[in-house]
Every structure is written in structure tokens, then in C-alpha cells.
């Protein structure tokens, strides 16, 4: 019996409302899945719902094998993503940290586990957790107005959801430490030079160039793309233990006085006062060392000057 001719790939658009999304837009058009963070009022910063929706949308691509690749981007022309929404992050503490950390790690694993290439189309600010989102993607193309950076040290957060793991592999150990410790930012042009992103184009050409990349991928073997992505991820997949370690470290950061100072300062438009924590820690250490010198780390009856009956001699 003759085989029925294969149907042409669907070119229909899947509207965001069909999946009940509030924080993102999800469209499938011409074999490309477009996932857009749709929170331009907060520079596409993400909250828990945003992370859930991003994960759900990207997982949905597995239900349509005709999809050749996915593009992750941010609405508007101001930002790809400014990272986590401080109004969400300031509600976190050690007890509920998993509610955030598991979502971040889950989204990262979803992107890395998809059998198709995922492209980050970056326009404007790409900072903190937003930059880690771009790091999880397979390819990054940015407009000339893009700025990429890790701002955790300035606001009391820790970039242990990919930055500490991947940046040394991508741009080298020294530059990675500078980017994280000094909160150094890179323009898109600089990012290309150090290998942080793949390509930089004028803003008006960003969509056109991204579409060209998608067309190239559509012309390649889906089996090869799937196999080679898995192989390319092999070495960095071994960093999973580091991710778990980083999530536990981050759990103790959320809700701390330093993290709240950093985020409040940002929201209030002032410089954070982290020096007060250094000085307080110094005082506490000096008190501890003084106590050691005074034998306060021994039972009362064994301290210097104590009498045999346990009373301190005068």
C-alpha cells in the first residue's frame, strides 16, 4: 500500500491565551516556538508565575516534533530580562527558598534538556538571573543596545544558578570572577569579543537575523541536532552537583539582612550600605576572640581564676 504523503508542517500560531499564560507570550509559527517574557513594565523581570510559564511553554515544544528550534526573548525594546523581580525575591527566606530555587533550576534543566536548539534573542538589559537565562540557552544573538552582566554582588544575591558554573567555561576563570565579584557589565560588542554571546547586530536587524538562524536550523537534521546537543552538554551536565550546592548556598542568602539591604537600596534608588555588616562582623569576631583570651570557652569551674569549689577567685 502506498504511503500517504506527509503533511506540511503547521504554520499556525498558538496564542498565549490558549494556555492561560499571564506573564509570557507563546507562539509557534513556521516551525519555530517563540517564548516571550511579557513584563516590560518591570524590564521583564520574572516572578514565580513567570518561571512556571516559561518552563511549561518550553516543555510544550516536545509535543510537536515539527518544531525545529525555540527562541526566548523579552517584550519591548528595553530589556531581555532584568532578572528576578525583587518584589518576589524579597519574600524569600531559608524556609521557602525551594519555591524559587527549584523553579530556576527546573527552567534551566528544561532548556538544556530539550532536543532542539534554544536561541536567546537579547535586546536591552540582560542582567543577573536574566543573564543566567541567556547562559542556559544554546545560542545567543543580541542587538547593539544590549548590556549583559551579573549584578548579584551589588544587590546581595548569588548567581549560583548557572553563572558560577558556566561563565568560567565560556569566558575563562579570570574574567568570570571579575564579572561576578566586580559586577562588571559588557556591551553586546564586548560580549562577542570575549565569547559570551555569538553575534551582535543593529537593533533593527535583530529579528531578521534571528529568523535567518532559525531557517538555517530548519534545514538541518533534527536527529543530528538532538544527538549533538546531548553530547555537547555532557561535560557541563556533570556540574549538576555544583548546581545543587549552589542552590543550598542561595537558600541561606534569601531573607538575610544583606540581601534585603541590597534589594531595598535598589528599589529606593540609593547605594546599599554593606559596610555596616562588615563592621558588625568585625565587632562580633573581636568579642569572640576576647572571650577566648578570657577563658570563656571553658566550663566556669575551669576558667582562669576559678576556685576549686567552682567560684571565681577575687
Amino acid at each position: 500500500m502506498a504511503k500517504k504523503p506527509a503533511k506540511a508542517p503547521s504554520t499556525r500560531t498558538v496564542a498565549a491565551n490558549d494556555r492561560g499564560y499571564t506573564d509570557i507570550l507563546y507562539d509557534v509559527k513556521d516551525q519555530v516556538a517563540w517564548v516571550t517574557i511579557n513584563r516590560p513594565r518591570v524590564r521583564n523581570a520574572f516572578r514565580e508565575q513567570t518561571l512556571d510559564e516559561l518552563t511549561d511553554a518550553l516543555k510544550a515544544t516536545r509535543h510537536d516534533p515539527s518544531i525545529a528550534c525555540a527562541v526566548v526573548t523579552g517584550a519591548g525594546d528595553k530589556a531581555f530580562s532584568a532578572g528576578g523581580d525583587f518584589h518576589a525575591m524579597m519574600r524569600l527566606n531559608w524556609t521557602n527558598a525551594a519555591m524559587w530555587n527549584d523553579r530556576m533550576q527546573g527552567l534551566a534543566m528544561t532548556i538544556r534538556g530539550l532536543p532542539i536548539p534554544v536561541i536567546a534573542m537579547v535586546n536591552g538589559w540582560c542582567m543577573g538571573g536574566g543573564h543566567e537565562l541567556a547562559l542556559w540557552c544554546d545560542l545567543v544573538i543580541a542587538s547593539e543596545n544590549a548590556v549583559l552582566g551579573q549584578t548579584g554582588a551589588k544587590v546581595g544575591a548569588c548567581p549560583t544558578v548557572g553563572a558560577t558554573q558556566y561563565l568560567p567555561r565560556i569566558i575563562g576563570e579570570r574574567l568570570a570572577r571579575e564579572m561576578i565579584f566586580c559586577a562588571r557589565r559588557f556591551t553586546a560588542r564586548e560580549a562577542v569579543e570575549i565569547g559570551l554571546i555569538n553575534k551582535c547586530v543593529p537593533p533593527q536587524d535583530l529579528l531578521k537575523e534571528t529568523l535567518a538562524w532559525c531557517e538555517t536550523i530548519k534545514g538541518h537534521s533534527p536527529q543530528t541536532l538532538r544527538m549533538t546537543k546531548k553530547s555537547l552538554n555532557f561535560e557541563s551536565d556533570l556540574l549538576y552537583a555544583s548546581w545543587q550546592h549552589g542552590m543550598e548556598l542561595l537558600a541561606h542568602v534569601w531573607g538575610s539582612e544583606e540581601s534585603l539591604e541590597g534589594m531595598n537600596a535598589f528599589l529606593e534608588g540609593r547605594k546599599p550600605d554593606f559596610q555596616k555588616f562588615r563592621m558588625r562582623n568585625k565587632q562580633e569576631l573581636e568579642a569572640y576572640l576576647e572571650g577566648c583570651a578570657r577563658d570563656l570557652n571553658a566550663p566556669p569551674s575551669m576558667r582562669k581564676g576559678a576556685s576549686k569549689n567552682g567560684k571565681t577567685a577575687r
Side-chain angles (χ1 to χ4, degrees):
M1 183 180 292
K3 292 183 178 180
K4 294 181 180 180
K7 292 182 179 180
S10 172
T11 59
R12 73 185 182 89
T13 296
V14 181
N17 291 339
D18 291 348
R19 302 189 67 88
Y21 296 146
T22 60
D23 287 17
I24 73 167
L25 302 175
Y26 177 59
D27 302 301
V28 177
K29 187 174 183 181
D30 297 330
Q31 298 176 260
V32 178
W34 295 84
V35 183
T36 306
I37 302 175
N38 190 31
R39 305 188 78 217
R41 289 179 60 186
V42 289
R43 293 189 176 181
N44 296 319
F46 44 75
R47 55 178 180 156
E48 289 88 346
Q49 292 92 325
T50 321
L51 295 170
D52 286 342
E53 292 178 9
L54 287 169
T55 300
D56 185 77
L58 287 162
K59 282 184 176 179
T61 62
R62 288 183 173 274
H63 300 298
D64 184 354
S66 73
I67 295 176
C69 60
V71 177
V72 177
T73 191
D77 58 1
K78 302 296 183 183
F80 171 76
S81 174
D85 189 325
F86 285 175
H87 292 95
M89 294 164 68
M90 290 176 68
R91 300 178 69 244
L92 300 171
N93 54 45
W94 185 78
T95 302
N96 62 27
M99 298 293 103
W100 181 272
N101 294 354
D102 287 356
R103 284 179 166 92
M104 287 284 285
Q105 191 168 12
L107 175 57
M109 294 299 105
T110 295
I111 292 173
R112 289 176 57 81
L114 290 182
I116 56 175
V118 180
I119 302 169
M121 187 174 77
V122 178
N123 199 19
W125 294 103
C126 180
M127 309 299 291
H131 178 243
E132 286 184 301
L133 172 58
L135 284 174
W136 303 334
C137 297
D138 299 292
L139 301 165
V140 183
I141 180 171
S143 69
E144 291 174 342
N145 71 344
V147 181
L148 303 91
Q150 284 299 327
T151 54
K154 296 177 68 175
V155 296
C158 293
T160 54
V161 200
T164 53
Q165 291 86 1
Y166 296 151
L167 278 177
R169 299 178 75 254
I170 295 172
I171 63 175
E173 186 78 22
R174 294 298 182 189
L175 203 52
R177 289 174 186 265
E178 181 182 348
M179 191 173 186
I180 294 172
F181 292 162
C182 300
R184 180 175 174 182
R185 300 172 179 177
F186 293 93
T187 65
R189 289 185 180 276
E190 292 171 327
V192 170
E193 293 175 1
I194 63 174
L196 186 59
I197 65 174
N198 297 92
K199 193 167 186 177
C200 169
V201 297
Q204 65 271 20
D205 295 336
L206 182 60
L207 178 59
K208 178 181 177 182
E209 187 66 22
T210 303
L211 286 169
W213 284 25
C214 294
E215 284 300 314
T216 296
I217 291 171
K218 284 163 62 175
H220 294 164
S221 162
Q223 176 178 263
T224 298
L225 294 174
R226 177 173 184 159
M227 301 300 182
T228 51
K229 177 170 178 175
K230 185 64 68 175
S231 183
L232 284 165
N233 283 352
F234 175 80
E235 183 184 4
S236 53
D237 277 345
L238 299 179
L239 295 170
Y240 182 74
S242 174
W243 282 66
Q244 292 296 90
H245 177 255
M247 293 302 93
E248 185 60 23
L249 294 174
L250 192 55
H252 289 274
V253 168
W254 298 136
S256 67
E257 291 181 80
E258 286 192 33
S259 70
L260 294 176
E261 166 63 16
M263 287 185 273
N264 275 319
F266 180 86
L267 293 174
E268 295 166 9
R270 61 176 174 83
K271 289 185 177 181
D273 181 11
F274 291 127
Q275 192 65 14
K276 64 183 178 183
F277 300 109
R278 290 190 175 93
M279 300 312 296
R280 184 184 67 185
N281 293 342
K282 179 181 179 181
Q283 291 173 358
E284 290 179 355
L285 180 58
E286 289 174 345
Y288 163 78
L289 293 174
E290 182 185 0
C292 289
R294 294 171 54 196
D295 242 14
L296 298 182
N297 55 348
S301 62
M302 296 174 60
R303 293 175 187 170
K304 295 175 182 177
S307 64
K308 292 183 179 180
N309 61 8
K311 295 182 179 180
T312 303
R314 296 183 177 179

